[in-house]
Amino acid sequence: MRATIAVLPGDGIGVDVTAEAVKILETVASIFDHQFTFSTALIGGVAIDETGTALPPETLALCEQSDAVLLGAVGGPKWDDPRAAVRPEQGLLGLRKGLDLFANLRPVKVYDCLVGASTLKPEVVRGVDLVVVRELTGGLYFGQPSRRFDGPHGREAVDTMAYSEQEVRRVVEVAFELARGRRKKVTSVDKQNVLATSRLWREVATEVAARYPDVETEHMLVDTCAMQLVRRPSQFDVLVTENTFGDILTDEASVLAGSMGMLPSASLGTGRRGLYEPIHGSAPRHAGKNVANPIAAILSAAMLLRHSLGLTAEAEAVERAVQRTLDDGFRTYDIHAEGTTLVGTREMGDLIATRITRS
Ligand code: IPM
Ligand code: MG
């Protein structure tokens, strides 16, 4: 098949890991006989430096015209001034909103050979295979008003958490559809004992659940969920939650997998077009040093093949190659342990690429 893929490396290690993800997609294209066309564009801090804005209009236009978007990471100390009017993160948020990608899938799968890489006990993390569906275009990230001002008692600031029933329904539906293809359990996470948005969330989630009698549903408060995620994570199959809760819970969940460098994500809307990015940040300290773990980016490329291009066998081939590379004992610094072989970003990409086979 033919497909156009927009590549937005962004800042820091985003550049290093995206190069490996593209390498993997090129390998897939040659082995499975596809034609992928890659176009690179600016986002984040580099875009601010070159154009004055974190999401140049031509970047958004390119993404709108592409079948899928592969993104690295945005941000860094250079652009971290809290008083700055333009911030790298605006690029990412603008892209998610601009493409209306309201459902962010963040799978957390613990590889058997990496149970020792987690700071949690092996018996707690072994066998964990869950997906967090994070609402991505609403809540505190986009609610208005959001501003800082001088009040009668000094400096004040306000952010707004707002949700409509339609915004809740569409993302909860994604979670239930996903659960049908998995272990058929959805945990809807909210803070309904305190927040009005959460009471609406639970009401709408309950209505959606009624249409999926084959799927087991539970509701959990977000503080309980944070605790259960490290206490007994294997109880979860699909979790669905609002934007900020999902942001926090997925960083927590990455500890199960041993490293942020292992976790991919897919951001989806109503069509097939999606945005694929590792959940980790730009890790400026490691940028350009050939040390970053490219697996999260590579697994994001696998999600791209599956969700935007419908290439299931190809996605599985990439996931199998990752598994084999880890089974063969190769590790980047973040998951390195005694008795395993330490490799750099490019070497890890190469090792995975050579393990991609048709079956
Ligand atoms: C993430 C990141 C982003 C978010 C930042 C970089 C804006 O933490 O993708 O989880 O908060 O959504
Ligand atoms: Mg985050």
Side-chain angles (χ1 to χ4, degrees):
M1 79 175 294
R2 286 176 186 279
T4 53
I5 299 170
V7 181
L8 316 182
D11 305 316
I13 61 164
V15 178
D16 311 47
V17 299
T18 308
E20 301 315 305
V22 169
K23 185 190 282 177
I24 293 301
L25 289 172
E26 279 169 341
T27 307
V28 165
S30 84
I31 293 180
F32 290 83
D33 220 10
H34 299 304
Q35 261 102 55
F36 298 157
T37 312
F38 300 94
S39 312
T40 304
L42 294 170
I43 194 165
V46 283
I48 293 176
D49 286 353
E50 290 203 22
T51 71
T53 155
L55 181 62
E58 27 320 347
T59 297
L60 183 59
L62 172 73
C63 295
E64 279 167 343
Q65 289 151 21
S66 302
D67 295 312
V69 183
L70 189 66
L71 188 139
V74 297
K78 185 174 172 194
W79 309 280
D80 254 354
D81 176 5
R83 300 204 156 257
V86 283
R87 301 177 55 78
E89 291 76 9
Q90 291 164 345
L92 184 54
L93 301 185
L95 192 59
R96 290 169 176 172
K97 191 78 170 175
L99 299 176
D100 201 17
L101 304 171
F102 58 84
N104 181 217
L105 276 45
R106 298 189 159 188
V108 181
K109 192 173 136 68
V110 176
Y111 292 86
D112 265 344
C113 61
L114 287 185
V115 290
S118 176
T119 50
L120 297 172
K121 291 184 183 138
E123 61 267 30
V124 173
V125 299
R126 192 182 308 277
V128 165
D129 180 7
L130 59 86
V131 186
V132 178
V133 179
R134 169 187 174 193
E135 200 290 325
L136 205 59
T137 50
L140 285 174
Y141 279 63
F142 296 96
Q144 292 299 328
S146 170
R147 63 186 184 96
R148 182 181 162 132
F149 54 97
D150 289 317
H153 307 293
R155 290 167 293 176
E156 288 187 40
V158 60
D159 290 299
T160 304
M161 187 179 305
Y163 272 105
S164 70
E165 64 174 299
Q166 174 253 358
E167 285 177 302
V168 178
R169 191 177 301 116
R170 63 184 187 175
V171 72
V172 173
E173 281 169 355
V174 169
F176 275 89
E177 288 296 330
L178 199 64
R180 274 197 168 151
R182 296 174 46 97
R183 301 196 305 281
K184 296 193 168 53
K185 181 178 174 191
V186 170
T187 306
S188 175
V189 180
D190 61 40
K191 187 72 186 173
Q192 69 111 31
N193 51 348
V194 178
L195 302 174
T197 43
S198 280
R199 287 189 284 276
L200 174 69
W201 183 283
R202 195 173 283 213
E203 205 174 297
V204 175
T206 304
E207 288 161 14
V208 174
R211 291 194 273 119
Y212 292 83
D214 52 318
V215 178
E216 182 195 339
T217 310
E218 72 179 348
H219 300 274
M220 196 177 277
L221 295 174
V222 64
D223 46 355
T224 308
C225 182
M227 183 263 289
Q228 290 295 344
L229 263 177
V230 285
R231 198 182 82 95
R232 204 168 57 81
S234 56
Q235 69 187 281
F236 297 112
D237 179 16
V238 178
L239 296 108
V240 61
T241 193
E242 70 87 38
N243 205 344
T244 307
F245 296 164
D247 179 45
I248 298 167
L249 292 178
T250 51
D251 265 35
E252 185 192 6
S254 76
V255 173
L256 307 169
S259 165
M260 293 268 278
M262 294 298 298
L263 294 202
S265 85
S267 304
L268 308 171
T270 43
R272 283 211 117 167
R273 189 189 310 111
L275 166 68
Y276 301 85
E277 52 171 324
I279 84 153
H280 63 69
S282 59
R285 285 189 301 129
H286 298 308
K289 295 188 182 150
N290 193 38
V291 295
N293 185 350
I295 292 180
I298 289 170
L299 291 174
S300 300
M303 295 186 87
L304 182 158
L305 292 166
R306 177 177 288 116
H307 294 284
S308 280
L309 308 186
L311 300 175
T312 313
E314 287 81 343
E316 285 169 0
V318 173
E319 287 158 358
R320 234 177 11 246
V322 169
Q323 170 88 58
R324 284 180 188 157
T325 309
L326 292 169
D327 285 345
D328 289 343
F330 296 105
R331 304 280 189 276
T332 41
Y333 80 94
D334 56 320
I335 49 176
H336 184 231
E338 225 180 279
T340 63
T341 312
L342 179 65
V343 297
T345 311
R346 287 191 291 275
E347 292 70 34
M348 184 58 101
D350 290 340
L351 289 160
I352 295 171
T354 56
R355 285 168 176 74
I356 297 176
T357 52
R358 272 181 176 264
S359 57

